[in-house]
PDB file of all heavy atoms in Angstrom:
ATOM      1  N   ASP A 147       2.035 -11.665   2.562  1.00 98.00           N
ATOM      2  CA  ASP A 147       0.616 -11.432   2.842  1.00 98.00           C
ATOM      3  C   ASP A 147      -0.144 -11.086   1.564  1.00 98.00           C
ATOM      4  O   ASP A 147      -1.254 -11.575   1.340  1.00 98.00           O
ATOM      5  CB  ASP A 147       0.464 -10.302   3.862  1.00 98.00           C
ATOM      6  CG  ASP A 147      -0.988  -9.939   4.107  1.00 98.00           C
ATOM      7  OD1 ASP A 147      -1.735 -10.794   4.606  1.00 98.00           O
ATOM      8  OD2 ASP A 147      -1.379  -8.803   3.782  1.00 98.00           O
ATOM      9  N   TRP A 151      -3.275 -13.041  -0.019  1.00 98.00           N
ATOM     10  CA  TRP A 151      -4.547 -12.357  -0.208  1.00 98.00           C
ATOM     11  C   TRP A 151      -5.052 -12.476  -1.638  1.00 98.00           C
ATOM     12  O   TRP A 151      -6.245 -12.675  -1.863  1.00 98.00           O
ATOM     13  CB  TRP A 151      -4.411 -10.891   0.198  1.00 98.00           C
ATOM     14  CG  TRP A 151      -5.717 -10.185   0.388  1.00 98.00           C
ATOM     15  CD1 TRP A 151      -6.124  -9.037  -0.209  1.00 98.00           C
ATOM     16  CD2 TRP A 151      -6.793 -10.578   1.246  1.00 98.00           C
ATOM     17  NE1 TRP A 151      -7.367  -8.670   0.218  1.00 98.00           N
ATOM     18  CE2 TRP A 151      -7.816  -9.613   1.116  1.00 98.00           C
ATOM     19  CE3 TRP A 151      -6.987 -11.663   2.115  1.00 98.00           C
ATOM     20  CZ2 TRP A 151      -9.018  -9.700   1.818  1.00 98.00           C
ATOM     21  CZ3 TRP A 151      -8.186 -11.743   2.808  1.00 98.00           C
ATOM     22  CH2 TRP A 151      -9.177 -10.774   2.649  1.00 98.00           C
ATOM     23  N   TYR A 154      -6.400 -15.910  -2.056  1.00 98.00           N
ATOM     24  CA  TYR A 154      -7.720 -15.980  -1.414  1.00 98.00           C
ATOM     25  C   TYR A 154      -8.782 -15.390  -2.331  1.00 98.00           C
ATOM     26  O   TYR A 154      -9.869 -15.966  -2.501  1.00 98.00           O
ATOM     27  CB  TYR A 154      -7.672 -15.234  -0.091  1.00 98.00           C
ATOM     28  CG  TYR A 154      -9.016 -15.003   0.554  1.00 98.00           C
ATOM     29  CD1 TYR A 154      -9.653 -16.000   1.283  1.00 98.00           C
ATOM     30  CD2 TYR A 154      -9.658 -13.765   0.434  1.00 98.00           C
ATOM     31  CE1 TYR A 154     -10.888 -15.792   1.884  1.00 98.00           C
ATOM     32  CE2 TYR A 154     -10.884 -13.538   1.030  1.00 98.00           C
ATOM     33  CZ  TYR A 154     -11.505 -14.548   1.749  1.00 98.00           C
ATOM     34  OH  TYR A 154     -12.729 -14.339   2.322  1.00 98.00           O
ATOM     35  N   ALA A 162      -3.526 -20.080  -0.265  1.00 98.00           N
ATOM     36  CA  ALA A 162      -3.328 -18.795   0.414  1.00 98.00           C
ATOM     37  C   ALA A 162      -2.815 -18.977   1.834  1.00 98.00           C
ATOM     38  O   ALA A 162      -2.003 -18.175   2.326  1.00 98.00           O
ATOM     39  CB  ALA A 162      -4.638 -18.020   0.431  1.00 98.00           C
ATOM     40  N   LEU A 163      -3.278 -20.033   2.499  1.00 98.00           N
ATOM     41  CA  LEU A 163      -2.963 -20.226   3.914  1.00 98.00           C
ATOM     42  C   LEU A 163      -1.469 -20.269   4.167  1.00 98.00           C
ATOM     43  O   LEU A 163      -0.968 -19.630   5.106  1.00 98.00           O
ATOM     44  CB  LEU A 163      -3.620 -21.516   4.419  1.00 98.00           C
ATOM     45  CG  LEU A 163      -3.354 -21.856   5.892  1.00 98.00           C
ATOM     46  CD1 LEU A 163      -3.881 -20.761   6.799  1.00 98.00           C
ATOM     47  CD2 LEU A 163      -3.995 -23.207   6.229  1.00 98.00           C
ATOM     48  N   ASP A 164      -0.733 -20.980   3.353  1.00 98.00           N
ATOM     49  CA  ASP A 164       0.704 -21.123   3.564  1.00 98.00           C
ATOM     50  C   ASP A 164       1.407 -19.769   3.515  1.00 98.00           C
ATOM     51  O   ASP A 164       2.254 -19.468   4.367  1.00 98.00           O
ATOM     52  CB  ASP A 164       1.295 -22.056   2.502  1.00 98.00           C
ATOM     53  CG  ASP A 164       2.784 -22.289   2.711  1.00 98.00           C
ATOM     54  OD1 ASP A 164       3.172 -22.707   3.812  1.00 98.00           O
ATOM     55  OD2 ASP A 164       3.564 -22.040   1.765  1.00 98.00           O
ATOM     56  N   TYR A 165       1.028 -18.931   2.562  1.00 98.00           N
ATOM     57  CA  TYR A 165       1.666 -17.616   2.434  1.00 98.00           C
ATOM     58  C   TYR A 165       1.343 -16.716   3.619  1.00 98.00           C
ATOM     59  O   TYR A 165       2.219 -16.009   4.144  1.00 98.00           O
ATOM     60  CB  TYR A 165       1.236 -16.943   1.136  1.00 98.00           C
ATOM     61  CG  TYR A 165       1.921 -17.490  -0.089  1.00 98.00           C
ATOM     62  CD1 TYR A 165       1.277 -18.395  -0.921  1.00 98.00           C
ATOM     63  CD2 TYR A 165       3.222 -17.119  -0.415  1.00 98.00           C
ATOM     64  CE1 TYR A 165       1.907 -18.916  -2.049  1.00 98.00           C
ATOM     65  CE2 TYR A 165       3.865 -17.620  -1.537  1.00 98.00           C
ATOM     66  CZ  TYR A 165       3.192 -18.524  -2.352  1.00 98.00           C
ATOM     67  OH  TYR A 165       3.827 -19.026  -3.467  1.00 98.00           O
ATOM     68  N   ILE A 166       0.090 -16.738   4.065  1.00 98.00           N
ATOM     69  CA  ILE A 166      -0.280 -15.828   5.150  1.00 98.00           C
ATOM     70  C   ILE A 166       0.310 -16.293   6.484  1.00 98.00           C
ATOM     71  O   ILE A 166       0.717 -15.467   7.311  1.00 98.00           O
ATOM     72  CB  ILE A 166      -1.806 -15.655   5.206  1.00 98.00           C
ATOM     73  CG1 ILE A 166      -2.284 -14.981   3.911  1.00 98.00           C
ATOM     74  CG2 ILE A 166      -2.209 -14.820   6.421  1.00 98.00           C
ATOM     75  CD1 ILE A 166      -3.751 -14.690   3.845  1.00 98.00           C
ATOM     76  N   LEU A 167       0.426 -17.595   6.674  1.00 98.00           N
ATOM     77  CA  LEU A 167       1.119 -18.088   7.865  1.00 98.00           C
ATOM     78  C   LEU A 167       2.589 -17.658   7.852  1.00 98.00           C
ATOM     79  O   LEU A 167       3.154 -17.257   8.879  1.00 98.00           O
ATOM     80  CB  LEU A 167       1.007 -19.611   7.959  1.00 98.00           C
ATOM     81  CG  LEU A 167      -0.363 -20.156   8.380  1.00 98.00           C
ATOM     82  CD1 LEU A 167      -0.382 -21.670   8.230  1.00 98.00           C
ATOM     83  CD2 LEU A 167      -0.697 -19.748   9.816  1.00 98.00           C
ATOM     84  N   LYS A 168       3.214 -17.732   6.688  1.00 98.00           N
ATOM     85  CA  LYS A 168       4.595 -17.277   6.559  1.00 98.00           C
ATOM     86  C   LYS A 168       4.692 -15.770   6.803  1.00 98.00           C
ATOM     87  O   LYS A 168       5.661 -15.294   7.403  1.00 98.00           O
ATOM     88  CB  LYS A 168       5.143 -17.620   5.171  1.00 98.00           C
ATOM     89  CG  LYS A 168       5.428 -19.105   4.972  1.00 98.00           C
ATOM     90  CD  LYS A 168       5.946 -19.366   3.555  1.00 98.00           C
ATOM     91  CE  LYS A 168       6.254 -20.846   3.340  1.00 98.00           C
ATOM     92  NZ  LYS A 168       6.705 -21.127   1.955  1.00 98.00           N
ATOM     93  N   ALA A 170       2.746 -13.964   8.758  1.00 98.00           N
ATOM     94  CA  ALA A 170       2.617 -13.742  10.201  1.00 98.00           C
ATOM     95  C   ALA A 170       3.927 -14.056  10.924  1.00 98.00           C
ATOM     96  O   ALA A 170       4.335 -13.336  11.836  1.00 98.00           O
ATOM     97  CB  ALA A 170       1.481 -14.595  10.756  1.00 98.00           C
ATOM     98  N   ALA A 178      -2.244  -6.435  12.443  1.00 98.00           N
ATOM     99  CA  ALA A 178      -3.692  -6.619  12.476  1.00 98.00           C
ATOM    100  C   ALA A 178      -4.235  -7.116  11.140  1.00 98.00           C
ATOM    101  O   ALA A 178      -5.127  -7.985  11.103  1.00 98.00           O
ATOM    102  CB  ALA A 178      -4.381  -5.312  12.863  1.00 98.00           C
ATOM    103  N   THR A 179      -3.724  -6.581  10.046  1.00 98.00           N
ATOM    104  CA  THR A 179      -4.242  -6.954   8.725  1.00 98.00           C
ATOM    105  C   THR A 179      -3.892  -8.397   8.386  1.00 98.00           C
ATOM    106  O   THR A 179      -4.717  -9.136   7.843  1.00 98.00           O
ATOM    107  CB  THR A 179      -3.698  -6.004   7.648  1.00 98.00           C
ATOM    108  OG1 THR A 179      -4.151  -4.683   7.939  1.00 98.00           O
ATOM    109  CG2 THR A 179      -4.204  -6.400   6.271  1.00 98.00           C
ATOM    110  N   ILE A 180      -2.671  -8.805   8.694  1.00 98.00           N
ATOM    111  CA  ILE A 180      -2.283 -10.196   8.414  1.00 98.00           C
ATOM    112  C   ILE A 180      -3.182 -11.153   9.193  1.00 98.00           C
ATOM    113  O   ILE A 180      -3.666 -12.156   8.638  1.00 98.00           O
ATOM    114  CB  ILE A 180      -0.802 -10.426   8.752  1.00 98.00           C
ATOM    115  CG1 ILE A 180       0.091  -9.636   7.786  1.00 98.00           C
ATOM    116  CG2 ILE A 180      -0.459 -11.918   8.685  1.00 98.00           C
ATOM    117  CD1 ILE A 180       1.581  -9.715   8.099  1.00 98.00           C
ATOM    118  N   PHE A 181      -3.442 -10.875  10.471  1.00 98.00           N
ATOM    119  CA  PHE A 181      -4.310 -11.749  11.253  1.00 98.00           C
ATOM    120  C   PHE A 181      -5.751 -11.723  10.728  1.00 98.00           C
ATOM    121  O   PHE A 181      -6.443 -12.745  10.740  1.00 98.00           O
ATOM    122  CB  PHE A 181      -4.267 -11.360  12.727  1.00 98.00           C
ATOM    123  CG  PHE A 181      -3.015 -11.788  13.435  1.00 98.00           C
ATOM    124  CD1 PHE A 181      -2.266 -10.869  14.153  1.00 98.00           C
ATOM    125  CD2 PHE A 181      -2.573 -13.103  13.381  1.00 98.00           C
ATOM    126  CE1 PHE A 181      -1.103 -11.260  14.814  1.00 98.00           C
ATOM    127  CE2 PHE A 181      -1.416 -13.504  14.029  1.00 98.00           C
ATOM    128  CZ  PHE A 181      -0.668 -12.574  14.746  1.00 98.00           C
ATOM    129  N   ASP A 182      -6.196 -10.571  10.269  1.00 98.00           N
ATOM    130  CA  ASP A 182      -7.532 -10.484   9.671  1.00 98.00           C
ATOM    131  C   ASP A 182      -7.612 -11.356   8.428  1.00 98.00           C
ATOM    132  O   ASP A 182      -8.566 -12.131   8.239  1.00 98.00           O
ATOM    133  CB  ASP A 182      -7.853  -9.031   9.323  1.00 98.00           C
ATOM    134  CG  ASP A 182      -9.215  -8.862   8.691  1.00 98.00           C
ATOM    135  OD1 ASP A 182     -10.135  -9.666   8.984  1.00 98.00           O
ATOM    136  OD2 ASP A 182      -9.383  -7.923   7.889  1.00 98.00           O
ATOM    137  N   HIS A 183      -6.605 -11.265   7.570  1.00 98.00           N
ATOM    138  CA  HIS A 183      -6.564 -12.105   6.370  1.00 98.00           C
ATOM    139  C   HIS A 183      -6.517 -13.591   6.752  1.00 98.00           C
ATOM    140  O   HIS A 183      -7.189 -14.416   6.117  1.00 98.00           O
ATOM    141  CB  HIS A 183      -5.338 -11.749   5.531  1.00 98.00           C
ATOM    142  CG  HIS A 183      -5.423 -10.420   4.855  1.00 98.00           C
ATOM    143  ND1 HIS A 183      -4.354  -9.838   4.219  1.00 98.00           N
ATOM    144  CD2 HIS A 183      -6.469  -9.552   4.725  1.00 98.00           C
ATOM    145  CE1 HIS A 183      -4.727  -8.676   3.723  1.00 98.00           C
ATOM    146  NE2 HIS A 183      -5.992  -8.466   4.016  1.00 98.00           N
ATOM    147  N   LEU A 184      -5.738 -13.896   7.760  1.00 98.00           N
ATOM    148  CA  LEU A 184      -5.642 -15.289   8.208  1.00 98.00           C
ATOM    149  C   LEU A 184      -6.997 -15.804   8.667  1.00 98.00           C
ATOM    150  O   LEU A 184      -7.392 -16.938   8.351  1.00 98.00           O
ATOM    151  CB  LEU A 184      -4.614 -15.395   9.346  1.00 98.00           C
ATOM    152  CG  LEU A 184      -4.318 -16.790   9.877  1.00 98.00           C
ATOM    153  CD1 LEU A 184      -3.789 -17.698   8.784  1.00 98.00           C
ATOM    154  CD2 LEU A 184      -3.317 -16.703  11.040  1.00 98.00           C
ATOM    155  N   GLY A 185      -7.735 -14.957   9.382  1.00 98.00           N
ATOM    156  CA  GLY A 185      -9.075 -15.353   9.810  1.00 98.00           C
ATOM    157  C   GLY A 185      -9.990 -15.612   8.632  1.00 98.00           C
ATOM    158  O   GLY A 185     -10.754 -16.592   8.615  1.00 98.00           O
ATOM    159  N   ASP A 186      -9.931 -14.758   7.617  1.00 98.00           N
ATOM    160  CA  ASP A 186     -10.767 -14.948   6.440  1.00 98.00           C
ATOM    161  C   ASP A 186     -10.433 -16.250   5.713  1.00 98.00           C
ATOM    162  O   ASP A 186     -11.322 -16.962   5.222  1.00 98.00           O
ATOM    163  CB  ASP A 186     -10.594 -13.766   5.477  1.00 98.00           C
ATOM    164  CG  ASP A 186     -11.234 -12.484   5.996  1.00 98.00           C
ATOM    165  OD1 ASP A 186     -11.910 -12.532   7.037  1.00 98.00           O
ATOM    166  OD2 ASP A 186     -11.050 -11.437   5.353  1.00 98.00           O
ATOM    167  N   VAL A 187      -9.148 -16.556   5.634  1.00 98.00           N
ATOM    168  CA  VAL A 187      -8.730 -17.790   4.960  1.00 98.00           C
ATOM    169  C   VAL A 187      -9.208 -19.011   5.749  1.00 98.00           C
ATOM    170  O   VAL A 187      -9.760 -19.961   5.169  1.00 98.00           O
ATOM    171  CB  VAL A 187      -7.199 -17.818   4.775  1.00 98.00           C
ATOM    172  CG1 VAL A 187      -6.736 -19.199   4.323  1.00 98.00           C
ATOM    173  CG2 VAL A 187      -6.774 -16.756   3.764  1.00 98.00           C
ATOM    174  N   TYR A 188      -9.032 -18.983   7.061  1.00 98.00           N
ATOM    175  CA  TYR A 188      -9.512 -20.107   7.871  1.00 98.00           C
ATOM    176  C   TYR A 188     -11.032 -20.255   7.752  1.00 98.00           C
ATOM    177  O   TYR A 188     -11.558 -21.379   7.701  1.00 98.00           O
ATOM    178  CB  TYR A 188      -9.118 -19.907   9.330  1.00 98.00           C
ATOM    179  CG  TYR A 188      -7.744 -20.401   9.678  1.00 98.00           C
ATOM    180  CD1 TYR A 188      -6.858 -19.583  10.398  1.00 98.00           C
ATOM    181  CD2 TYR A 188      -7.308 -21.672   9.307  1.00 98.00           C
ATOM    182  CE1 TYR A 188      -5.574 -20.032  10.730  1.00 98.00           C
ATOM    183  CE2 TYR A 188      -6.030 -22.119   9.635  1.00 98.00           C
ATOM    184  CZ  TYR A 188      -5.178 -21.300  10.341  1.00 98.00           C
ATOM    185  OH  TYR A 188      -3.914 -21.750  10.659  1.00 98.00           O
ATOM    186  N   ALA A 189     -11.736 -19.128   7.699  1.00 97.00           N
ATOM    187  CA  ALA A 189     -13.198 -19.188   7.552  1.00 97.00           C
ATOM    188  C   ALA A 189     -13.571 -19.839   6.223  1.00 97.00           C
ATOM    189  O   ALA A 189     -14.511 -20.648   6.151  1.00 97.00           O
ATOM    190  CB  ALA A 189     -13.788 -17.793   7.647  1.00 97.00           C
ATOM    191  N   ALA A 190     -12.848 -19.490   5.151  1.00 97.00           N
ATOM    192  CA  ALA A 190     -13.105 -20.091   3.844  1.00 97.00           C
ATOM    193  C   ALA A 190     -12.826 -21.586   3.847  1.00 97.00           C
ATOM    194  O   ALA A 190     -13.453 -22.353   3.101  1.00 97.00           O
ATOM    195  CB  ALA A 190     -12.262 -19.406   2.776  1.00 97.00           C
ATOM    196  N   LEU A 191     -11.880 -22.004   4.710  1.00 98.00           N
ATOM    197  CA  LEU A 191     -11.557 -23.429   4.825  1.00 98.00           C
ATOM    198  C   LEU A 191     -12.448 -24.138   5.852  1.00 98.00           C
ATOM    199  O   LEU A 191     -12.234 -25.308   6.155  1.00 98.00           O
ATOM    200  CB  LEU A 191     -10.085 -23.581   5.237  1.00 98.00           C
ATOM    201  CG  LEU A 191      -9.052 -23.145   4.184  1.00 98.00           C
ATOM    202  CD1 LEU A 191      -7.663 -23.097   4.790  1.00 98.00           C
ATOM    203  CD2 LEU A 191      -9.086 -24.073   2.976  1.00 98.00           C
ATOM    204  N   GLU A 193     -12.596 -23.695   9.012  1.00 97.00           N
ATOM    205  CA  GLU A 193     -11.919 -23.929  10.288  1.00 97.00           C
ATOM    206  C   GLU A 193     -12.286 -22.756  11.202  1.00 97.00           C
ATOM    207  O   GLU A 193     -11.502 -21.842  11.447  1.00 97.00           O
ATOM    208  CB  GLU A 193     -10.412 -24.052  10.083  1.00 97.00           C
ATOM    209  CG  GLU A 193     -10.023 -25.246   9.220  1.00 97.00           C
ATOM    210  CD  GLU A 193      -8.536 -25.511   9.229  1.00 97.00           C
ATOM    211  OE1 GLU A 193      -7.920 -25.436  10.313  1.00 97.00           O
ATOM    212  OE2 GLU A 193      -7.982 -25.784   8.144  1.00 97.00           O
ATOM    213  N   LYS A 196     -10.209 -21.610  14.397  1.00 97.00           N
ATOM    214  CA  LYS A 196      -8.950 -20.966  14.031  1.00 97.00           C
ATOM    215  C   LYS A 196      -9.212 -19.564  13.459  1.00 97.00           C
ATOM    216  O   LYS A 196      -8.422 -18.643  13.674  1.00 97.00           O
ATOM    217  CB  LYS A 196      -8.180 -21.819  13.025  1.00 97.00           C
ATOM    218  CG  LYS A 196      -7.585 -23.072  13.637  1.00 97.00           C
ATOM    219  CD  LYS A 196      -6.760 -23.857  12.611  1.00 97.00           C
ATOM    220  CE  LYS A 196      -6.120 -25.078  13.238  1.00 97.00           C
ATOM    221  NZ  LYS A 196      -5.312 -25.856  12.266  1.00 97.00           N
ATOM    222  N   ALA A 197     -10.331 -19.433  12.743  1.00 97.00           N
ATOM    223  CA  ALA A 197     -10.686 -18.111  12.215  1.00 97.00           C
ATOM    224  C   ALA A 197     -10.965 -17.145  13.358  1.00 97.00           C
ATOM    225  O   ALA A 197     -10.481 -15.997  13.358  1.00 97.00           O
ATOM    226  CB  ALA A 197     -11.912 -18.223  11.310  1.00 97.00           C
ATOM    227  N   ARG A 198     -11.722 -17.601  14.359  1.00 97.00           N
ATOM    228  CA  ARG A 198     -12.012 -16.754  15.519  1.00 97.00           C
ATOM    229  C   ARG A 198     -10.724 -16.322  16.219  1.00 97.00           C
ATOM    230  O   ARG A 198     -10.554 -15.159  16.602  1.00 97.00           O
ATOM    231  CB  ARG A 198     -12.896 -17.510  16.516  1.00 97.00           C
ATOM    232  CG  ARG A 198     -14.331 -17.776  16.071  1.00 97.00           C
ATOM    233  CD  ARG A 198     -15.141 -18.249  17.265  1.00 97.00           C
ATOM    234  NE  ARG A 198     -16.418 -18.813  16.876  1.00 97.00           N
ATOM    235  CZ  ARG A 198     -16.723 -20.104  16.896  1.00 97.00           C
ATOM    236  NH1 ARG A 198     -15.821 -20.994  17.286  1.00 97.00           N
ATOM    237  NH2 ARG A 198     -17.916 -20.532  16.548  1.00 97.00           N
ATOM    238  N   GLU A 199      -9.820 -17.280  16.404  1.00 97.00           N
ATOM    239  CA  GLU A 199      -8.559 -16.976  17.078  1.00 97.00           C
ATOM    240  C   GLU A 199      -7.770 -15.910  16.317  1.00 97.00           C
ATOM    241  O   GLU A 199      -7.219 -14.981  16.918  1.00 97.00           O
ATOM    242  CB  GLU A 199      -7.718 -18.242  17.208  1.00 97.00           C
ATOM    243  CG  GLU A 199      -6.389 -18.020  17.908  1.00 97.00           C
ATOM    244  CD  GLU A 199      -5.530 -19.288  17.951  1.00 97.00           C
ATOM    245  OE1 GLU A 199      -5.989 -20.337  17.442  1.00 97.00           O
ATOM    246  OE2 GLU A 199      -4.400 -19.207  18.461  1.00 97.00           O
ATOM    247  N   ALA A 200      -7.728 -16.037  14.987  1.00 98.00           N
ATOM    248  CA  ALA A 200      -6.986 -15.062  14.174  1.00 98.00           C
ATOM    249  C   ALA A 200      -7.634 -13.685  14.251  1.00 98.00           C
ATOM    250  O   ALA A 200      -6.930 -12.664  14.385  1.00 98.00           O
ATOM    251  CB  ALA A 200      -6.927 -15.540  12.728  1.00 98.00           C
ATOM    252  N   TRP A 201      -8.961 -13.627  14.196  1.00 98.00           N
ATOM    253  CA  TRP A 201      -9.636 -12.334  14.285  1.00 98.00           C
ATOM    254  C   TRP A 201      -9.456 -11.697  15.662  1.00 98.00           C
ATOM    255  O   TRP A 201      -9.302 -10.482  15.777  1.00 98.00           O
ATOM    256  CB  TRP A 201     -11.114 -12.481  13.957  1.00 98.00           C
ATOM    257  CG  TRP A 201     -11.380 -12.732  12.498  1.00 98.00           C
ATOM    258  CD1 TRP A 201     -10.673 -12.245  11.433  1.00 98.00           C
ATOM    259  CD2 TRP A 201     -12.411 -13.546  11.954  1.00 98.00           C
ATOM    260  NE1 TRP A 201     -11.209 -12.697  10.254  1.00 98.00           N
ATOM    261  CE2 TRP A 201     -12.280 -13.499  10.524  1.00 98.00           C
ATOM    262  CE3 TRP A 201     -13.443 -14.321  12.486  1.00 98.00           C
ATOM    263  CZ2 TRP A 201     -13.141 -14.186   9.677  1.00 98.00           C
ATOM    264  CZ3 TRP A 201     -14.306 -15.010  11.635  1.00 98.00           C
ATOM    265  CH2 TRP A 201     -14.151 -14.930  10.249  1.00 98.00           C
ATOM    266  N   LYS A 203      -6.824 -12.056  17.533  1.00 97.00           N
ATOM    267  CA  LYS A 203      -5.465 -11.520  17.513  1.00 97.00           C
ATOM    268  C   LYS A 203      -5.420 -10.199  16.754  1.00 97.00           C
ATOM    269  O   LYS A 203      -4.732  -9.254  17.164  1.00 97.00           O
ATOM    270  CB  LYS A 203      -4.510 -12.531  16.877  1.00 97.00           C
ATOM    271  CG  LYS A 203      -4.195 -13.730  17.754  1.00 97.00           C
ATOM    272  CD  LYS A 203      -3.210 -14.671  17.070  1.00 97.00           C
ATOM    273  CE  LYS A 203      -2.845 -15.847  17.958  1.00 97.00           C
ATOM    274  NZ  LYS A 203      -1.901 -16.767  17.270  1.00 97.00           N
TER     275      LYS A 203
END
Side-chain angles (χ1 to χ4, degrees):
D147 175 63
W151 195 235
Y154 169 81
L163 179 61
D164 183 55
Y165 283 101
I166 296 183
L167 286 172
K168 287 179 179 178
T179 298
I180 292 176
F181 285 128
D182 180 29
H183 289 170
L184 184 59
D186 289 354
V187 169
Y188 275 131
L191 292 169
E193 297 190 42
K196 288 183 178 180
R198 291 192 193 107
E199 181 183 359
W201 288 326
K203 287 181 178 179

